[in-house]
Amino acid sequence: MLAARAAPKLLARGLTVGPPTAITTGLKASYIFVHQYASQVSHRRFSSTPRTSIKEYFPPPENYPAIKKSEAWPHPVYTEEQMSQIIIAHRETKNWSDWVALKAVQILRSVTDFATGYRHDREVAAGEKDPRDAKRKRFAMDERKWLVRFLFLESVAGVPGMVGGMLRHLHSLRRMKRDNGWIETLLEEAYNERMHLLTFLKMAEPGWFMKFMVLGAQGVFFNGFFLAYLISPRTCHRFVGYLEEEAVITYTRAINDLDAGKLPRWENLYAPAFAIKYWDMPDGHRKIRDLLLYVRADEAKHREVNHTLGNLTQEDPNPYLAEYRDPNLPRPSKGLETLKPTGWERDEILK
């Protein structure tokens, strides 16, 4: 596939094969990591930037008085047990709106698979077969292909939350009424997806071809989602719920590939320091596998949130910011404590 041939020149900026606190060791490990990959990638590189000209992707501002910034939306704490319990799930369609959303996701999935050179067993996607049992020759993915897919997906995944939050913000201003808390959750989702992208950019630098693909996909998707949200917000939230179902499948298979020994270069590799700070990853749980567990847990949460919002009316309060009279009943939360893969029904929230 075109994007798969546009192989990435993988960088190890922010990556180490030991604790990330040792800066000198990290630089040496990065050099080794890059040159190990050099013999594996195709001649058509993912990055067209000469190695000697590559600069830090997120350079710190010069002469800036502040030495540390706080996160606008601190990430909720996930436990290892909670993340290991994430499962592949699918919400059945119940009306024409759900059906339209599901078909749109299936079409988008097919286009994205073609663009990124991704192969996925249908039985794996349906949760009927373990990804580790997929045939090696036809469905094999390596570290390079996974990074291509992650970068492409995450560059588009941050669009729905921003579009929904923006339109609800303008709607609130125009009607001079409260939004009942939806804007914050939608913008927080967009922020989280962008953090996923920035994390993977610490592992690989996209070249001009990938940037062109992302630009085209984002432009088409933004405008399409913008118009769709004006017509039917509920359908759009269902669409994102189904989209996140696919994301959970994707990251589940990547984790299983890693566990099965199919991604040897990631087995002992540490996550970027950028990611360790954002997810507050504890000592002993800071490798690439742990990073994928955190990202998959985020996608599972987005899956629940959007399916839940798709079950509500546009005037209902946001259940993820609400305080309830009876705190003993299970309710939606920002964390994984009460995660429901197919979303909360409206009568469960309002009872």
Side-chain angles (χ1 to χ4, degrees), residues 146 150 153-154 196 200 246-256 292 295-296 299:
W146 279 120
F150 294 161
L153 290 180
E154 298 297 349
H196 292 176
F200 291 124
E246 297 293 337
V248 172
I249 292 173
T250 294
Y251 285 107
T252 296
R253 187 172 181 225
I255 292 168
N256 284 332
L292 295 179
V295 175
R296 183 182 68 168
E299 306 296 3

Side-chain angles (χ1 to χ4, degrees), residues 86-89 105 109 113 118 120 125 146 149-150 153-154 157 193 196 200 239-255 292-293 295-303:
I86 300 298
I87 61 172
I88 293 173
V105 168
R109 174 80 192 229
D113 288 353
Y118 181 72
H120 208 157
W146 279 120
R149 183 164 183 83
F150 294 161
L153 290 180
E154 298 297 349
E193 296 287 9
H196 292 176
F200 291 124
F239 168 87
V240 178
Y242 286 134
L243 192 64
E244 298 296 358
E245 290 180 2
E246 297 293 337
V248 172
I249 292 173
T250 294
Y251 285 107
T252 296
R253 187 172 181 225
I255 292 168
L292 295 179
L293 285 173
V295 175
R296 183 182 68 168
D298 285 343
E299 306 296 3
K301 191 62 188 180
H302 299 329
R303 174 183 65 185

Side-chain angles (χ1 to χ4, degrees), residues 10 17 34 68-69 72 209 227 262 295 327:
L10 296 176
V17 292
V34 169
K68 184 179 180 180
K69 71 177 184 66
F209 182 74
L227 294 175
K262 298 178 181 179
V295 175

Side-chain angles (χ1 to χ4, degrees), residues 5 26 32 96 131 150 168 186 205 207 228-229 246 252-253 337 342 349:
R5 292 172 185 169
I32 294 172
W96 71 269
F150 294 161
R168 291 190 67 92
L186 294 176
E205 180 184 5
Y229 204 92
E246 297 293 337
T252 296
R253 187 172 181 225
E337 300 84 6
T342 58
I349 297 172

Side-chain angles (χ1 to χ4, degrees), residues 113-127:
D113 288 353
F114 176 81
T116 61
Y118 181 72
R119 295 290 181 273
H120 208 157
D121 195 320
R122 291 184 178 181
E123 293 180 346
V124 172

Side-chain angles (χ1 to χ4, degrees), residues 135-164:
K135 294 180 181 179
R136 176 72 184 176
K137 292 183 178 179
R138 187 175 181 186
F139 299 108
M141 294 284 285
D142 56 22
E143 295 90 341
R144 171 181 59 81
K145 291 181 180 179
W146 279 120
L147 280 174
V148 170
R149 183 164 183 83
F150 294 161
L151 287 169
F152 189 84
L153 290 180
E154 298 297 349
S155 66
V156 177
V159 171
M162 180 58 66
V163 171

